[in-house]
Amino acid sequence: MGTQPSKIALLVSSLLSLSAFSATAEEATTSAANVDETITVTGSRFDRTADQQLTVINTIEREEIARLNPKSVADVLETLPGVSISRNGGAGQATSVSIRGSNSNHVLVLIDGVKVGSATLGTVSFNTLSPENIERIEVLKGPRASVWGSDAIGGVIQVFTRQLKGGEWFAGAEYGSNDYIRGSFGTGMDHGNGSTTLTVNHEQSDGYDVYNGAPVENDDDGYKRNTISLKGSQQINQNWQAQWNAQYDKGNTQYDDVYASGSADESDYANYLWNLATQYSNDKFTSKLALSQSRDYNENFRGDDINVPVSEFETKRDQVNWSNQYLAANELTFTGGIDWSNEAVKGDYAQDERDIFGAYVLVQKQWSQLLAEAAVRYDDVENIDSEVSYNASLAYQFNDQWRLAASTGTAFKAPTFNDLYWPGSGNPDLISETAKSYDLTLHYQADDIRAYISVFENSIDNLIAWAPTGEKDDFGWDIWKPANINEAKIQGVEFSASFSVFSLDHQVAYTFLDAENKQTGEELIGRSENEFNYQLSYNWEQIDVLANYHYQGKRYAGYSEYFDATHQVDLSIGYQLDDAWSLRLKANNLFDEEIISAQNYFSPGREFFLSVSYQAF
């Protein structure tokens, strides 16, 4: 660890030089134009432009998602700097998402503002989400517990579902490797001063044998995924608006469990969420009240043996959110609100539900070229110690192009029901995992380029891990239970640039990571020191081409072993037949690289997909 600060300093110097060189490239055109028009909401819960944000937020819009033609949300997220993916196979298999080296359960995931995920495992099933139903994804880097509460240690991922105007509609079909089939449809409907969007999607694949280690099950592991979503709003009068959205995901996944050969090998899931909201706004004040519920349901069984017991896991989360924003004089903005939720789980737990209450306030002030922000939040999790989280940020605009922002903040992750109350091994004395972070980011933005470089550090304490209690069972074996015993320190550099040269659009994303277990001095398992993504795209008349290269450095697998570094190239070619009809050919892992991100679980080899779509706008 002693030599790492100098490594980071060297990387910062090199990448700043690259930023300056790119900024003066004579051949650059306008690929990054209109950056100022980008609106995000995840940082503060209300609309803000890029120059009002004091945290790094990456946004991926529908147009780019369509050109990537991903088979999972993880395929989209992996193109971003600071986001790392670990898969137990292909699109339908278990997937972990890490932001800036944090654990996968240190990422808060929202769909249209509604928190989703399992309160028993503490993670989100990204493999159940359909990219076809997504309009936009915002990924916020760094802690944001001061606004959102528990889980936002590494960052926040917010998924926004598609929304069409009345008379707009789309339909699409796709076929590809491993007998992959997709059909999708969406339509927008007007009703007075409002509209509602309905989208449906079906996907299925026969899959492949995802586990290639010692024999477990020599069979293909396929999946089915069905999604229906509804999203709309109604302008009641000049000040009042009603909003609603709902989503239902149902499907099946076949998998290989290396630790339990002969047991369950299939999983059915049926997840839903709904949200009803009303919003009042005038020139100075906006207030929004939202009522929502989400369910995460999973049933595990063995497909060819009805004698294997069925295991069920279910989380239901009722949520009430009241958010307010007041625009005072002299560039002063106050944001604040109250959150309440009830988490209930199904199973033989000593306690199967809990209430969570949170209240927060955020203040932002602009002085000429200086922008400051401070936020504080109080959270009370039933039967767990309360937590107070904060963020403090400062940015200075040197000129129209250059901007420097610094921030510090704290965050926490409440223990899950499995940690606390799992029959026979839960530990009700656990406390929340806590984190403190620092971030320094230099932004460059012009009509022809946008770039940033960010240096960050995150220290996480009271991490929960299995540990011996000092007691013995009836057979003389040590009794192990979860305990707050681990600490981690994560340092890194994140770089992103988008520019155009010779009519070719370029996107570069690079992350350097130094992630250490402070107790043992070892690297954190599953992290890469270097991760790089490069996109090259070109448009010519009716044709668009997108090539994506992803490099994943070697990852520590534990016990002094490493997963090998991997290289993956994907290619997407689209042809616009006319104003409405289009064709797209997608090749994943074009050079058929062997890619392993979890022990002996292989990602797909070379795959091809052909899609046809119709859009009426």
Side-chain angles (χ1 to χ4, degrees), residues 52 96 134 156 214 243 339-340 415:
Q52 295 174 312
S96 298
I134 296 174
V156 181
Q243 301 168 348
D339 299 321
W340 173 87

Side-chain angles (χ1 to χ4, degrees), residues 37-50 53 55-62 65 73 76-77 80 83 97 99 107-113 126 134-141 148 155-161 231:
E37 297 178 9
T38 301
I39 301 294
T40 60
V41 302
T42 306
S44 65
R45 302 197 184 192
F46 289 93
D47 290 352
R48 286 194 176 179
T49 58
Q53 296 289 354
T55 55
V56 175
I57 300 179
N58 299 133
T59 303
I60 304 176
E61 303 287 351
R62 178 68 225 167
I65 295 173
V73 174
V76 182
L77 297 174
L80 300 176
V83 180
V97 176
I99 296 180
V107 178
L108 175 65
V109 181
L110 309 163
I111 298 180
D112 290 324
F126 285 94
I134 296 174
E135 182 68 30
R136 186 172 89 257
I137 301 176
E138 293 179 5
V139 180
L140 183 151
K141 311 295 182 59
W148 292 103
V156 181
I157 298 173
Q158 181 153 203
V159 175
F160 297 88
T161 55
K231 185 174 185 177

Side-chain angles (χ1 to χ4, degrees), residues 157-381:
I157 298 173
Q158 181 153 203
V159 175
F160 297 88
T161 55
R162 296 182 73 166
Q163 187 162 15
L164 305 173
K165 298 177 182 178
E168 296 180 344
W169 64 279
F170 71 88
E174 186 171 8
Y175 179 79
S177 299
N178 301 318
D179 284 330
Y180 173 86
I181 298 173
R182 175 181 62 82
S184 56
F185 173 79
T187 183
M189 300 164 283
D190 280 338
H191 37 75
N193 293 325
S195 64
T196 296
T197 301
L198 172 68
T199 60
V200 294
N201 185 74
H202 169 78
E203 297 172 67
Q204 67 180 57
S205 172
D206 289 346
Y208 64 100
D209 192 3
V210 299
Y211 187 77
N212 284 14
V216 177
E217 295 177 20
N218 296 317
D219 62 347
D220 289 338
D221 301 298
Y223 67 93
K224 294 180 181 179
R225 186 161 59 198
N226 297 285
T227 301
I228 181 170
S229 63
L230 194 72
K231 185 174 185 177
S233 63
Q234 181 71 40
Q235 195 70 38
I236 301 171
N237 56 36
Q238 183 178 356
N239 302 112
W240 287 94
Q241 183 184 63
Q243 301 168 348
W244 55 87
N245 62 277
Q247 180 165 309
Y248 181 70
D249 302 296
K250 181 178 176 63
N252 170 272
T253 296
Q254 299 168 345
Y255 59 89
D256 290 336
D257 187 347
V258 62
Y259 298 108
S261 178
S263 64
D265 65 358
E266 287 194 37
S267 174
D268 286 342
Y269 64 87
N271 304 335
Y272 69 75
L273 66 88
W274 59 260
N275 181 58
L276 298 173
T278 181
Q279 178 172 300
Y280 172 85
S281 60
N282 58 33
D283 292 341
K284 295 288 186 180
F285 179 66
T286 301
S287 183
K288 184 175 181 179
L289 178 65
L291 310 176
S292 59
Q293 184 183 79
S294 64
R295 181 181 82 155
D296 184 281
Y297 174 81
N298 190 280
E299 179 183 71
N300 298 289
F301 59 94
R302 185 163 185 83
D304 57 3
D305 189 349
I306 61 174
N307 294 319
V308 173
V310 172
S311 60
E312 293 181 90
F313 299 91
E314 181 181 39
T315 295
K316 279 190 177 180
R317 185 179 286 110
D318 297 317
Q319 303 173 63
V320 179
N321 309 109
W322 183 41
S323 303
N324 306 273
Q325 179 172 270
Y326 178 67
L327 305 178
N330 301 318
E331 301 290 335
L332 179 63
T333 302
F334 294 93
T335 304
I338 294 173
D339 299 321
W340 173 87
S341 65
N342 174 268
E343 295 179 339
V345 298
K346 185 176 182 179
D348 186 21
Y349 292 92
Q351 180 172 323
D352 58 10
E353 67 174 304
R354 65 185 180 191
D355 291 333
I356 303 173
F357 172 82
Y360 73 98
V361 61
L362 181 151
V363 181
Q364 188 174 92
K365 170 65 176 174
Q366 179 86 50
W367 294 277
S368 182
Q369 295 167 283
L370 189 65
L371 179 64
E373 180 182 272
V376 63
R377 180 183 172 105
Y378 170 82
D379 282 278
D380 180 45
V381 183

Side-chain angles (χ1 to χ4, degrees), residues 71-78 83-98 104-105 109 123-129 225 253 555 597-598 603:
K71 297 297 164 282
S72 69
V73 174
D75 293 344
V76 182
L77 297 174
E78 195 169 37
V83 180
S84 187
I85 308 296
S86 178
R87 299 177 174 90
N88 283 12
Q93 302 298 315
T95 301
S96 298
V97 176
S98 171
S104 60
N105 61 354
V109 181
T123 55
V124 174
S125 299
F126 285 94
N127 55 304
T128 67
L129 302 176
R225 186 161 59 198
T253 296
R555 304 187 189 201
S597 59
S603 294

Side-chain angles (χ1 to χ4, degrees), residues 18-36:
L18 177 58
S19 294
F21 171 78
S22 301
T24 58
E26 294 182 0
E27 299 296 337
T29 59
T30 58
S31 66
N34 302 321
V35 174
D36 285 337

Side-chain angles (χ1 to χ4, degrees), residues 445-459:
Q445 180 175 300
D447 289 339
D448 51 8
I449 185 173
R450 65 179 184 269
Y452 73 83
I453 182 169
S454 185
V455 182
F456 58 88
E457 179 180 292
N458 200 357
S459 296

